[in-house]
């Protein structure tokens, strides 16, 4: 077995030869290096992601929508926030075409360069008081570019890890990339909490909020070089080719195996719906309808993110013992039960708010830890690489893109019961998708055995 866990002949060598017989080179990639690459890549993306999400609550209503009420300004900020998720599938389609023609390194360089440029563009963007409506249009344009970039940043590393994992450790390997979410949130929330407490409100809204975007740009540059070092490695490339993790046209994927994309998107809906309802939404709701200090809310969320990281790790053990789909289904049931308590918790003051955040983050970790690629085994080998990327994009779009906007807008009008119904619908969709997937697998097994 090679360092990646598969038997392969060295390039130009004799088929079946022991890969350890060749001299070790600097391009050899170990599973540990791949895991580090996954975490670095996901952490940088999520840091950038959460910087915008937190700014949509604390900054953009005042800087870009000053002529609206705080509630309406926040809703408009959330509408801009959602633009990136609309752009992600488009970015995936474009990036797969780039990779087919110029290679994986070119695709990732373009994607991460675009992400960095759009992020630093937001950092230097003047507010409404200087540019008027042009500032809003530019903010939306940069956000769209961020979405294109995130769609194009798929490197296939999580799939490579999962496919080379022992059959009894697939849940453990699957959760590694998901650790980037809590790590990215801790960095983003911690930086905003520090700036918010260290500066006056005028200073924070004038220049303080821009520093996290500068940092996000720097982090993306570091992540670019770290991931390109893996992408350009001979062993990594050979492993991807042998596992047939290569791009195909998105239109061809939809034509041939579009049903698998739909099932993949809805199977993780409960996790993705909860994702924004414990990160971005509570910050907006509490800032609008509570006297709880912002720094305190961010502090509780940081604690919750650490709990989520531990829960993600625990999800790997649970999935290996009970099965990934069973774990995801069980977590959907728990999320449904949690949704019923949401209105009571968020209307019970500081204690209720804190319980909602901490418990929500724990459930998020347990479910999100196994939400990536749970049903991507449905795809045939040639479509798995693109199918995994597009399924994730669609899960974000359907489950998470409009969650803060819908939850805050409907809650402001009809009460917190709207959050309950939103989460509950996500859990029901997850259970339904997993049930359909199981039924299809059973039918295919029966047909193949006939």
């Amino acid at each position: 077995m090679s360092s990646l866990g598969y038997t392969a002949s060295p390039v130009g060598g004799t088929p079946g030869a022991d890969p350890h017989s060749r001299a070790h080179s600097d391009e050899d990639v170990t599973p540990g290096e791949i895991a580090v690459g996954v975490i670095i890549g996901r952490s940088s993306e999520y840091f950038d992601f959460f910087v915008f999400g937190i700014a949509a609550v604390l900054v953009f209503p005042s800087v870009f929508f000053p002529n609206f009420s705080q509630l309406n300004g926040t809703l408009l900020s959330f509408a801009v926030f959602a633009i990136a998720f609309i752009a992600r599938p488009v970015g995936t389609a474009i990036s797969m075409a780039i990779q087919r023609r110029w290679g994986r390194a070119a695709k990732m360089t373009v994607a991460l360069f675009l992400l960095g440029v759009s992020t630093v563009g937001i950092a230097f963007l003047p507010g409404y008081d200087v540019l008027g409506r042009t500032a809003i249009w530019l903010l939306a344009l940069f956000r769209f570019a961020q979405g294109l970039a995130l769609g194009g940043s798929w490197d296939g590393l999580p799939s490579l890890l999962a496919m080379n994992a022992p059959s009894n450790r697939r849940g453990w390997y699957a959760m590694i990339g998901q650790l980037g979410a809590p790590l990215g949130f801790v960095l983003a929330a911690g930086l905003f909490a520090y700036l918010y407490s260290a500066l006056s409100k005028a200073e924070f809204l004038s220049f303080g909020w821009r520093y996290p975007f500068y940092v996000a740009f720097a982090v993306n540059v570091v992540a670019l070089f770290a991931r390109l070092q893996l992408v350009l490695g001979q062993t990594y490339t050979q492993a991807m080719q042998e596992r047939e993790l290569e791009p195909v046209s998105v239109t061809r994927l939809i034509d041939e195996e579009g049903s698998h994309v739909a099932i993949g998107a809805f199977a993780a809906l409960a996790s993705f719906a909860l994702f924004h309802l414990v990160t971005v939404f509570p910050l907006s709701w509490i800032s609008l309808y509570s006297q709880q200090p912002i720094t305190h809310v961010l502090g509780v969320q940081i604690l919750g993110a650490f709990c989520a990281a531990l829960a993600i790790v625990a999800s790997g053990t649970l999935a290996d013992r009970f099965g990934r789909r069973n774990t995801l289904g069980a977590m959907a049931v728990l999320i449904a039960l949690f949704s019923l308590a949401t209105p009571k918790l968020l209307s019970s003051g500081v204690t209720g708010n804190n319980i909602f955040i901490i418990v929500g983050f724990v459930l998020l970790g347990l479910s999100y830890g196994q939400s990536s690629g749970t049903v991507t085994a449905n795809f045939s080998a040639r479509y798995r690489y693109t199918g995994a990327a597009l399924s994730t994009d669609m899960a974000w779009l359907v489950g998470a893109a409009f969650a803060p906007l819908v939850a805050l807008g409907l809650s402001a009008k009809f009460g917190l019961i709207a959050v309950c119904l939103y989460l509950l619908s996500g859990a029901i969709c997850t259970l339904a998708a997993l049930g359909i997937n199981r039924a299809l697998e059973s039918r295919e097994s029966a047909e193949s055995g006939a």
Side-chain angles (χ1 to χ4, degrees):
M1 298 294 284
S2 73
S3 61
L4 282 169
Y6 64 92
T7 301
S9 62
V11 176
T14 303
D18 182 2
H20 290 293
S21 63
R22 64 186 170 88
H24 178 82
S25 71
D26 292 336
E27 291 185 290
D28 288 342
V29 183
T30 66
E33 290 172 331
I34 296 178
V36 170
V38 171
I39 294 175
I40 289 175
R42 297 302 177 267
S43 297
S44 66
E45 291 170 8
Y46 279 112
F47 175 71
D48 194 283
F49 173 93
F50 284 121
V51 163
F52 194 100
I54 295 173
V57 176
L58 303 183
V59 178
F60 296 159
S62 299
V63 174
F64 294 100
F65 304 102
N67 295 332
F68 295 86
S69 67
Q70 191 69 16
L71 171 61
N72 290 334
T74 304
L75 291 173
L76 289 169
S77 297
F78 283 160
V80 176
F81 178 71
I83 291 175
F85 301 96
I86 298 173
R88 278 188 70 144
V90 179
T92 293
I94 295 173
S95 69
M96 292 301 171
I98 292 175
Q99 183 175 342
R100 292 198 306 274
R101 182 164 184 176
W102 289 292
R104 185 176 289 106
K107 179 197 75 169
M108 288 184 59
T109 300
V110 170
L112 293 176
F113 178 79
L114 180 60
L115 181 61
V117 169
S118 56
T119 299
V120 81
I122 295 173
F124 285 105
L125 183 61
Y128 185 90
D129 59 338
V130 176
L131 296 180
R133 292 185 179 180
T134 302
I136 299 173
W137 287 109
L138 288 175
L139 179 65
L141 177 62
F142 286 134
R143 184 58 178 166
F144 186 83
Q146 284 186 321
L148 291 178
L150 288 172
S153 64
W154 174 250
D155 51 23
L157 286 173
S159 294
L160 185 60
L161 272 176
M163 294 178 70
N164 284 281
S167 59
N168 62 339
R169 298 289 285 167
R170 287 173 181 167
W172 180 264
Y173 279 89
M175 68 84 189
I176 291 177
Q178 308 301 72
L179 287 171
L183 291 176
F185 183 84
V186 167
L187 293 174
L191 188 53
F192 268 103
Y194 170 75
L195 292 169
Y196 198 89
S197 62
L199 302 173
S200 67
K201 185 173 182 178
E203 291 172 333
F204 177 76
L205 293 177
S206 175
F207 63 85
W209 68 270
R210 301 179 186 274
Y211 287 107
F213 287 91
Y214 299 144
V215 175
F217 173 76
V219 168
N220 285 327
V221 171
V222 173
L224 169 62
F225 285 103
R227 295 166 75 183
L228 283 179
Q229 186 177 12
L230 282 177
V231 169
L232 297 177
Q234 177 183 339
T235 305
Y236 171 88
T237 302
Q238 180 181 348
M240 297 291 283
Q241 291 174 345
E242 292 194 2
R243 290 297 190 178
E244 297 186 69
L245 292 175
E246 298 295 333
V248 298
S249 167
V250 167
T251 55
R252 186 174 180 181
L253 168 67
I254 296 299
D255 289 340
E256 296 292 331
E257 302 190 6
S259 61
H260 296 330
V261 174
I263 292 175
F266 283 94
L269 201 60
S271 299
F272 284 85
L274 183 61
F275 195 96
H276 281 157
L277 293 185
V278 298
T279 55
V280 179
F281 168 74
L283 191 62
S284 65
W285 179 265
I286 294 171
S287 66
L288 287 168
Y289 299 105
S290 171
Q291 298 301 315
Q292 193 172 349
I294 293 297
T295 52
H296 181 269
V297 179
L298 290 172
V300 174
Q301 289 187 304
I302 290 172
L303 175 61
F306 281 113
C307 293
L310 295 176
I312 288 174
V313 174
S315 77
T317 301
L318 291 173
D320 287 333
R321 182 171 181 179
F322 301 105
R324 294 186 64 193
R325 297 176 196 180
N326 290 336
T327 301
L328 194 60
M331 291 308 111
V333 172
L334 291 180
I335 290 173
L337 296 175
F338 176 67
S339 72
L340 301 177
T342 294
K344 179 66 175 178
L345 291 175
L346 288 177
S347 60
S348 299
V350 174
T351 301
N353 293 339
N354 292 346
I355 293 174
F356 172 83
I357 291 171
I358 298 298
V359 175
F361 265 106
V362 171
L363 288 176
L364 176 62
L366 291 171
S367 60
Y368 188 66
Q370 297 302 314
S371 66
S372 176
T374 300
V375 297
T376 51
N378 293 344
F379 293 102
S380 57
R382 67 183 304 182
Y383 292 115
R384 182 169 294 186
Y385 180 85
T386 305
L390 190 61
S391 295
T392 301
D393 292 340
M394 297 309 297
W396 280 114
L397 177 59
V398 176
F402 300 98
L405 176 63
V406 172
L408 181 60
L410 293 181
S411 296
K413 187 173 181 63
F414 301 108
L416 289 167
I417 189 65
V419 182
C420 167
L421 295 176
Y422 192 94
L423 269 180
L424 188 60
S425 65
I428 292 172
C429 286
T430 288
L431 293 172
L434 291 175
I436 293 171
N437 185 70
R438 186 183 297 274
L440 290 175
E441 284 189 343
S442 299
R443 188 179 69 180
E444 289 175 359
S445 297
E447 291 176 351
S448 63

